[in-house]
Amino acid sequence: MAKNGVVIYEDYKGYANYAKKTVNEESTPLHLASVSKVLTATLVLKLVQQNKIDLNEKVKTYLPSFPYQNTTVKTLLNHRSGLPHYSRFGELIKGWNSKKVLTNADVLTTLSKNKLNLLSKNDTHFDYCNTNYAILALIAEAVTEKSFSISMQEEIFEPLGMQDSFVIDFPTQKLNVCQSYKGNFINYGWDQFDAIYGDKNIYSTPRDLVKFDLATYSTDFLRADLVEEALKGYSYEKRGIRNYGLGIRMNEWETGQTLHYHNGWWHGNTSSYTTLKKEMVVIIALSNKFTRKVYKSSRLASLFGDYPLELEE
């Protein structure tokens, strides 16, 4: 936990690599899972700020082979595109090769070749979908003419001093990063979707994420109007108070209080990033051994403001 960019509580436990008995420390980068989307969305907004991307522009403008005519950058960011889920390609495509490790380019090619039906018309329905952020990473690469990894490094990690953050190159680094576990330190293993980035595959530390969170308050980093676009909700979910902005979730209560956050899960990695904008507080919990406990960390918001969340002893 940190307030005004100053860490007020931190704790590190467990193993980055159980076989080698390498322990998790403050400088150990962990897989952020879908908290990666917060950073991917920020990169896209930085490129909007540089006039390289238009939020309302069609995706086909940047990726000509993209098969859906009406999808915009914004509806990728707020999950209102209706794109099919890449994790379900095997259910939708006859003769699907479940052993091939897919790249982001493979996701685009698969969509282009197979003309899969949209789950809903563009901008009519919220459907949380990793495909959106895999495509956003490709758009960033197209407009910068650089890899997603380099763009993240140049636009976010280096300027903010996030020295322990990076986008994994899965084929060459998968055995050298913090490993993923379940149960009694059993390796979670890999599947054909592990190399796809943008929706996941960013590694970072709580301390680096504190630096990132502090930067979001600065107009030198991101224009105020773009921050406002990101933090407002575009579609309520079934439970009534839950909403989604541009790469960030939120709870909006009738009291007028809003809590912004994003959770993540990928194999044994679970993550939670909660940012309290009124109080300038950030709460971060990351784990490389599967546990839902990290998601309860957002309840600590009630220590800092009038949030209707119950704390457990």
Side-chain angles (χ1 to χ4, degrees), residues 80-313:
R80 293 178 62 84
S81 69
L83 290 186
H85 297 247
Y86 68 65
S87 60
R88 297 176 187 165
F89 282 171
E91 303 169 22
L92 302 171
I93 301 171
K94 187 176 181 179
W96 177 252
N97 182 359
S98 62
K99 295 183 179 180
K100 179 184 178 180
V101 177
L102 298 183
T103 65
N104 289 55
D106 290 330
V107 173
L108 177 59
T109 299
T110 301
L111 294 175
S112 302
K113 285 186 175 180
N114 292 276
K115 304 295 189 296
L116 301 175
N117 291 331
L118 291 172
L119 301 179
S120 59
K121 290 183 179 180
N122 185 69
D123 207 19
T124 62
H125 181 73
F126 174 86
D127 183 58
Y128 184 88
C129 177
N130 285 334
T131 309
N132 292 319
Y133 277 71
I135 298 299
L136 283 167
L138 290 177
I139 292 174
E141 290 182 333
V143 302
T144 61
E145 298 183 342
K146 298 175 182 178
S147 70
F148 179 71
S149 176
I150 290 175
S151 289
M152 287 295 302
Q153 201 70 36
E154 292 181 351
E155 298 292 340
I156 296 179
F157 301 151
E158 288 180 5
L160 302 184
M162 298 172 67
Q163 297 179 352
D164 297 311
S165 300
F166 59 91
V167 180
I168 186 175
D169 180 66
F170 180 74
T172 63
Q173 293 180 302
K174 66 180 182 180
L175 298 179
N176 299 323
V177 295
C178 186
Q179 299 299 291
S180 171
Y181 298 103
K182 59 183 176 180
N184 189 24
F185 284 103
I186 300 170
N187 282 81
Y188 214 99
W190 320 104
D191 64 35
Q192 71 174 143
F193 306 118
D194 273 301
I196 300 170
Y197 49 80
D199 58 323
K200 60 184 184 306
N201 273 353
I202 295 177
Y203 283 68
S204 190
T205 67
R207 285 198 167 201
D208 272 4
L209 289 176
V210 169
K211 295 176 182 178
F212 165 78
D213 186 73
L214 185 63
T216 64
Y217 295 93
S218 171
T219 54
D220 290 335
F221 179 65
L222 201 58
R223 290 198 324 253
D225 62 302
L226 293 176
V227 173
E228 183 179 353
E229 281 286 303
L231 295 180
K232 70 182 183 182
Y234 292 88
S235 47
Y236 284 100
E237 299 179 52
K238 293 179 181 179
R239 297 183 184 179
I241 65 168
R242 299 174 65 194
N243 212 325
Y244 202 96
L246 305 182
I248 194 77
R249 288 187 180 273
M250 65 198 75
N251 287 348
E252 297 176 307
W253 291 282
E254 293 181 357
T255 59
Q257 191 70 290
T258 300
L259 179 143
H260 291 90
Y261 71 101
H262 212 298
N263 292 334
W265 165 78
W266 186 252
H267 299 335
N269 307 293
T270 49
S271 55
S272 180
Y273 164 80
T274 303
T275 178
L276 311 180
K277 295 306 181 186
K278 290 182 180 178
E279 296 83 12
M280 285 190 71
V281 167
V282 63
I283 303 164
I284 300 153
L286 308 176
S287 178
N288 63 316
K289 182 181 176 185
F290 181 80
T291 174
R292 291 184 175 87
K293 291 180 181 180
V294 297
Y295 306 140
K296 296 182 180 181
S297 62
S298 62
R299 298 182 186 182
L300 294 168
S302 60
L303 295 175
F304 302 96
D306 185 23
Y307 297 93
L309 297 167
E310 294 185 5
L311 286 172
E312 294 181 354
E313 291 186 5

